[in-house]
Amino acid sequence: MMNHSVRSFQFEGTVEVKSKFDAEFRRFSLDKSKYQTFEHFKHLLSDLHKLGQVPFVIKYADPKDNDLLPITNDDNYMAALKNAKPLLRLVIQREGEGYDDFLRGNRSGTLLSTILGTPKQPKNHLTISNPREFRQVSAIIDVDVVPDTCRRVKLLKHGSDKPLGFYIRDGTSVRVTPQGLEKVPGIFISRLVPGGLAESTGLLAVNDEVLEVNGIEVAGKTLDQVTDMMVANSSNLIVTVKPANQRTLMGP
């Protein structure tokens, strides 16, 4: 849970926002201290675009590659604010309206080229349904409190008997201490089951170091103990890892 000081820091200042609904654009300054939750932000957009009772979804343009990413909860609302450089560009769609519906009326370029004013080569697009029509199987959570070099992943089985789909092993990694580099024991993902839940998420990888299981640190615990922790929480597993590309790996 985010503490008060972190939350206050996240919601200081303003962000310039440009939102689009059909052919209508709105540009405004968002006072982050007044709109600290996704629901408050959604009500603001509804009022600005006079949507009334029209069900709608919100997406924002990722400044890294201009892909449209959904804003559906407080976590990805905060991620959108954090990534606003310098402008937060939004696309508002009626619920159930696919991305390809916009492309049909925009033959000269993609939807984002209209918003950003920069040409982008059109791609062949598949019709993708609204996210609510899918059953969520994973999520990256607590992005505001977990260090940038780590990742906290939630795996959801929804009562299924399907296994989590990964194995763990003992290993050794390197920590930076006041005395210099130090080898310490750790727990690592050793294998992903092809087609399994873990592999299908794309959020876990072989040689990722496991740091926590459902909020409990694994440092000092045996492989059997960590395995038991994962089995006990398998229906709603939250695992914090340090991805393999974020650390120095030593041999087992």
Side-chain angles (χ1 to χ4, degrees), residues 10 26 46 51 76 79 107 135 147 160 179 197 200 208 226:
Q10 289 279 349
R26 290 282 186 273
S46 178
L51 296 177
N76 46 38
R107 299 300 183 183
R135 172 173 286 186
S160 167
Q179 292 74 38
L197 179 62
S200 67
D208 284 356
V226 177

Side-chain angles (χ1 to χ4, degrees), residues 34 55 61 76 89 91-92 97 105 114 141 170 174 178-179 183 190 230 244:
K34 293 183 179 179
N76 46 38
R89 296 176 170 90
V91 175
I92 300 173
E97 191 170 40
T114 302
I141 62 174
D170 291 307
V174 171
Q179 292 74 38
K183 296 180 183 179
S190 60
M230 290 184 172

Side-chain angles (χ1 to χ4, degrees), residues 157 160-164 195-197 200:
K157 293 176 64 177
S160 167
D161 292 332
K162 187 176 182 179
L164 293 169
L197 179 62
S200 67

Side-chain angles (χ1 to χ4, degrees), residues 30-239:
L30 177 72
D31 184 345
K32 293 192 286 184
S33 66
K34 293 183 179 179
Y35 300 95
Q36 297 191 16
T37 67
F38 166 67
E39 287 302 324
H40 288 153
F41 180 62
K42 188 172 183 179
H43 284 307
L44 171 65
L45 293 177
S46 178
D47 291 341
L48 286 173
H49 288 276
K50 297 179 172 55
L51 296 177
Q53 300 301 313
V54 176
F56 65 94
V57 294
I58 308 165
K59 299 177 183 179
Y60 74 98
D62 185 349
K64 295 179 182 178
D65 51 22
N66 290 340
D67 283 344
L68 283 180
L69 303 177
I71 302 179
T72 57
N73 55 44
D74 289 348
D75 287 338
N76 46 38
Y77 170 50
M78 283 188 287
L81 293 180
K82 183 179 179 181
N83 290 327
K85 299 178 181 178
L87 186 67
L88 177 60
R89 296 176 170 90
L90 303 176
V91 175
I92 300 173
Q93 298 173 237
R94 293 176 182 83
E95 197 169 284
E97 191 170 40
Y99 179 65
D100 58 319
D101 294 332
F102 287 94
L103 297 176
R104 294 192 189 102
N106 191 15
R107 299 300 183 183
S108 59
T110 65
L111 173 62
L112 284 176
S113 67
T114 302
I115 301 171
L116 304 177
T118 55
K120 186 175 180 181
Q121 292 298 320
K123 301 177 182 178
N124 292 325
H125 291 273
L126 298 175
T127 301
I128 301 178
S129 301
N130 188 277
R132 293 186 183 181
E133 297 173 20
F134 293 88
R135 172 173 286 186
Q136 185 183 37
V137 295
S138 67
I140 297 177
I141 62 174
D142 296 340
V143 293
D144 53 317
V145 295
V146 175
D148 291 340
T149 55
C150 300
R151 178 183 298 158
R152 185 165 291 162
V153 178
K154 185 175 185 178
L155 299 177
L156 302 171
K157 293 176 64 177
H158 297 285
S160 167
D161 292 332
K162 187 176 182 179
L164 293 169
F166 67 91
Y167 293 83
I168 57 176
R169 64 168 176 83
D170 291 307
T172 305
S173 65
V174 171
R175 296 285 187 274
V176 179
T177 70
Q179 292 74 38
L181 296 179
E182 179 182 343
K183 296 180 183 179
V184 295
I187 303 294
F188 303 88
I189 294 177
S190 60
R191 183 164 70 92
L192 298 181
V193 177
L197 179 62
E199 184 193 55
S200 67
T201 68
L203 301 177
L204 299 173
V206 172
N207 289 331
D208 284 356
E209 182 177 2
V210 179
L211 303 178
E212 294 179 355
V213 175
N214 285 65
I216 301 175
E217 293 186 6
V218 304
K221 299 188 183 301
T222 67
L223 183 63
D224 286 342
Q225 288 174 321
V226 177
T227 299
D228 290 343
M229 291 164 62
M230 290 184 172
V231 171
N233 294 282
S234 62
S235 61
N236 187 21
L237 180 67
I238 299 174
V239 57

